[in-house]
Amino acid sequence: MMPTMMRSLIFLLTILSFGATAQQTGPERYTITKRLEAGKYAVVSAHPLASKAGAEVMKAGGNAFDAAIATQLALAVVYPEAGNLGGGGFLVATLPNGKKIAINYREKAPGKAHRDMYLDSSGQPIVSKSLEGHLAAGVPGTVAGLIATLPYAKLPLARLVVPAIRLAEQGYIITAAEARGLNRARASFLKLNTRPVAFVKDTDWKEGDTLVQKDLARTLKLIAEKGAAGFYEGETAQKVVEEMRRGGGIISAEDLKAYHAEILQPLQFKFRGYDVITMPLPSSGGIGLRQMLGMVENQPMEDWGFHNPKSVQLMIEAERRAYADRAQFLGDPHFVKVPVDTLIDKNYLARRMADFTPGLASLSARVPAGQIRESDQTTHLSVVDAAGNAVAVTTTLNGGYGCDVVVGGAGFLLNNEMDDFSVKPGAPNMYGLVGNEANAIAPGKRMLSSMTPTIVLKDKKPLLVTGTPGGATIITSLFQTLVNALVFNLDADQTVNAPKFHHQWLPDVVYIEKGFPDPVKYSLERMGYKFTSRESIGRTELIKITGKNKLEAVADNRGDDSAAGE
């Protein structure tokens, strides 16, 4: 272990070596770039300042992994409703030498968690307990994930934290949308926090205000100086434990010190000649994406056309069946045996669609999980660099601002990921998703996730780097993104921004965005489908590699998402 004084000296020298960047003063303003054509590198994320941070470190000699780390750290500052230090996520990446990796830094249930911890005396779920306050938080994984990413990066961690520290210390100018979000959460912040938080001030937030987070800057400096130990041990860990004690939570010092990220093999499969590289369990997204694409692969959707009733019906029925299987079979593979090979087998998928009738809606009550013989606030970033590295990262706090609890003196929000377990098998979570025993709560277990960072290869080289937030809608949004691009050949803008639809088995209803074509809706209603309009479905971040030194980076129009690059 490097002596503390030596680590401090290296940290100081690293900061000083990037003096021009570190010494920028005053709150940062920005412009939003929705579409960017680049020749060297590009990053797309939920916030322009985070994308700028990723581009900044690539310009300074870093690669896509450096950019992924810097962008995530910046999102923890400028996008508090989902960017985080106190949550978790998944990374999927491909390297120029053909290597493919996945990093699992999903949160874990604390050691004192138990199966019935959110049930009342009659065995019914107490909904608020798994959503609000200290008891809703799982053990955070994000910082461990960043450290696990570092061996693939080129720059020292202390350099990658510089933009985030600057943004936290000097502040940034918030938009009208950010002001509305903070104002909506004000009552919860006041109710649930045991110490004053930077997200609450005497008057309402408004567009143009500056958000400064000094406590968070201190935590970021500890991470820059000490790495994982700057978060999971020492000063920051003690603040988490004290916060738990004040608020009735159960995360312990032992839980924090024992947390580790996992390096996994991505789930890889072919779709119409393309190689799809995506996240394995505990993400339900990779398996769900494989199932949906497999169920529609042999159908002539390109002949029917984009947003044709026949195409949409087929995709809805694939979504219905994949979500039924999600509810029945999927969970943390360290705790339950999941029949992955069977679930993604072509013969099994053909059997799942055997009762599909064109022109007639199925009923979820009659579409149980397949017979086998044996989580809305998330954020995504996509990065491509000049060397050919491609990185897709999705992270989350689960609900907007997580459990609404900021660790006193440390400045970061905690997640409410415990709601992504099956609080009671068969009972829906905050997204309406139903789960069973495979996803029941157990100490040290990782809760099932829908996050689906994905890379598509053509001729063994990256073609698409993509992902989205959206809770239960993540998998269906990615499904439609890939079909839009690979089957219907939509351009990158249309692929990202065309109105989406979503079916998740239960409830038996199709959710549609504003702008979904009325004629298609009416045609499907005549088949027996029921529709509900809802706010945006996902916020897809897409980089398309169209040729040598030709990158198209598209940020979703549904938010303040932005692209940066050169």
Side-chain angles (χ1 to χ4, degrees):
M1 181 70 70
M2 187 181 295
T4 301
M5 183 175 287
M6 181 64 71
R7 284 198 305 265
S8 299
L9 179 60
I10 291 174
F11 169 60
L12 179 61
L13 290 174
T14 303
I15 297 294
L16 290 176
S17 69
F18 293 94
T21 299
Q23 291 170 16
Q24 179 175 327
T25 59
E28 291 208 35
R29 298 178 180 272
Y30 52 86
T31 57
I32 294 172
T33 302
K34 288 298 181 185
R35 185 177 184 279
L36 174 75
E37 293 186 0
K40 295 181 181 178
Y41 52 79
V43 54
V44 193
S45 80
H47 198 284
L49 289 174
S51 297
K52 178 184 174 183
E56 176 185 307
V57 298
M58 285 193 283
K59 187 171 185 178
N63 62 17
F65 293 95
D66 293 284
I69 294 170
T71 302
Q72 288 175 82
L73 288 164
L75 285 168
V77 181
V78 299
Y79 194 56
E81 62 189 280
N84 68 83
L85 298 181
F90 300 137
L91 176 149
V92 170
T94 61
L95 283 69
N97 63 6
K99 184 174 182 178
K100 305 168 184 68
I101 62 167
I103 302 179
N104 169 22
Y105 44 107
R106 182 66 161 155
E107 303 90 332
K108 287 186 174 184
K112 293 181 180 178
H114 58 89
R115 186 180 183 279
D116 299 331
M117 61 187 288
Y118 300 116
L119 304 184
D120 63 18
S121 58
S122 62
Q124 297 304 308
I126 305 172
V127 176
S128 62
K129 289 183 71 174
S130 64
L131 292 174
E132 301 173 356
H134 300 66
L135 196 62
V139 182
T142 292
V143 175
L146 301 180
I147 302 303
T149 307
L150 200 57
Y152 303 94
K154 295 172 66 178
L155 301 178
L157 178 63
R159 169 63 185 97
L160 304 180
V161 189
V162 167
I165 293 173
R166 182 179 69 231
L167 289 164
E169 277 196 326
Q170 299 175 8
Y172 66 99
I173 306 299
I174 66 171
T175 65
E178 291 164 343
R180 287 193 297 271
L182 291 169
N183 291 334
R184 281 195 301 269
R186 176 186 173 85
S188 292
F189 287 143
L190 291 172
K191 172 186 173 184
L192 297 170
N193 281 280
T194 65
R195 295 289 187 270
V197 299
F199 306 125
V200 174
K201 61 190 187 76
D202 293 339
T203 58
D204 280 351
W205 293 93
K206 63 183 183 300
E207 181 180 8
D209 283 348
T210 299
L211 177 58
V212 176
Q213 301 170 75
K214 295 288 188 181
D215 288 344
L216 180 56
R218 167 66 180 168
T219 299
L220 289 165
K221 289 176 182 177
L222 288 170
I223 294 168
E225 181 181 346
K226 300 180 180 181
F231 184 84
Y232 292 101
E233 302 176 44
E235 178 181 324
T236 302
Q238 183 60 35
K239 288 175 180 175
V240 173
V241 173
E242 290 171 356
E243 187 62 54
M244 290 291 110
R245 185 175 63 249
R246 290 193 298 268
I250 57 174
I251 297 174
S252 69
E254 292 75 21
D255 291 328
L256 293 166
K257 192 172 183 179
Y259 186 89
H260 66 279
E262 290 185 305
I263 307 295
L264 303 173
Q265 283 297 314
L267 180 64
Q268 181 172 345
F269 59 89
K270 287 192 175 294
F271 174 73
R272 294 194 170 198
Y274 300 95
D275 289 302
V276 180
I277 317 299
T278 189
M279 193 69 198
L281 289 169
S283 167
S284 64
I287 292 173
L289 191 62
R290 170 66 186 114
Q291 288 189 304
M292 294 174 196
L293 289 170
M295 290 180 207
V296 306
E297 184 169 13
N298 296 324
Q299 299 297 319
M301 289 190 295
E302 60 270 46
D303 296 336
W304 302 338
F306 173 68
H307 274 175
N308 179 281
K310 292 174 68 174
S311 301
V312 175
Q313 189 208 1
L314 178 69
M315 295 173 73
I316 288 171
E317 294 300 339
E319 293 174 359
R320 184 196 307 272
R321 287 158 176 79
Y323 275 76
D325 282 0
R326 182 192 193 279
Q328 179 66 30
F329 298 114
L330 303 189
D332 185 341
H334 292 299
F335 286 77
V336 295
K337 185 177 181 180
V338 181
V340 175
D341 290 342
T342 302
L343 288 169
I344 64 176
D345 179 76
K346 288 186 177 181
N347 293 325
Y348 172 79
L349 297 177
R351 292 199 303 273
R352 290 298 276 137
M353 292 296 281
D355 58 353
F356 163 63
T357 303
L360 182 65
S362 300
L363 296 175
S364 289
R366 297 179 184 176
V367 181
Q371 298 302 306
I372 292 184
R373 302 178 185 88
E374 291 186 275
S375 256
D376 195 74
Q377 281 304 335
T378 303
T379 188
H380 179 85
L381 62 97
S382 297
V383 193
V384 173
D385 65 24
N389 294 294
V391 183
V393 178
T394 312
T395 65
T396 187
L397 286 169
N398 198 31
Y401 305 106
C403 65
D404 293 328
V405 172
V406 177
V407 174
F412 63 89
L413 283 151
L414 291 168
N415 64 83
N416 60 350
E417 292 295 355
M418 293 298 286
D419 188 68
D420 267 359
F421 282 116
S422 300
V423 171
K424 179 182 180 181
N429 70 0
M430 70 180 291
Y431 297 111
L433 289 171
V434 175
N436 285 304
E437 292 293 342
N439 194 35
I441 300 170
K445 186 177 181 179
R446 286 182 164 101
M447 57 290 290
L448 195 62
S449 173
S450 294
M451 295 184 290
T452 318
T454 299
I455 299 170
V456 177
L457 307 181
K458 182 180 181 181
D459 299 327
K460 299 183 179 181
K461 295 183 179 180
L463 173 68
L464 304 174
V465 185
T466 189
T468 182
T473 71
I474 289 174
I475 314 171
T476 55
S477 186
L478 260 293
F479 171 46
Q480 290 165 63
T481 295
L482 297 194
V483 170
N484 288 352
L486 305 179
V487 177
F488 297 125
N489 293 314
L490 301 187
D491 65 30
D493 286 302
Q494 290 176 301
T495 292
V496 168
N497 294 308
K500 293 184 172 67
F501 54 91
H502 170 73
H503 196 294
Q504 61 183 50
W505 183 51
L506 293 176
D508 195 350
V509 62
V510 182
Y511 296 95
I512 54 174
E513 287 186 297
K514 181 180 179 181
F516 186 83
D518 285 338
V520 179
K521 176 186 173 185
Y522 299 149
S523 179
L524 290 164
E525 283 177 332
R526 289 193 292 271
M527 299 179 193
Y529 292 93
K530 297 178 181 178
F531 287 84
T532 297
S533 297
R534 56 158 289 165
E535 295 298 319
S536 61
I537 294 177
R539 283 167 60 174
T540 305
E541 317 296 3
L542 176 71
I543 299 177
K544 184 176 182 179
I545 299 89
T546 59
K548 187 176 181 181
N549 301 325
K550 291 184 178 180
L551 308 175
E552 289 183 33
V554 176
D556 203 306
N557 287 335
R558 294 168 178 85
D560 291 336
D561 308 50
S562 188
E566 183 179 323

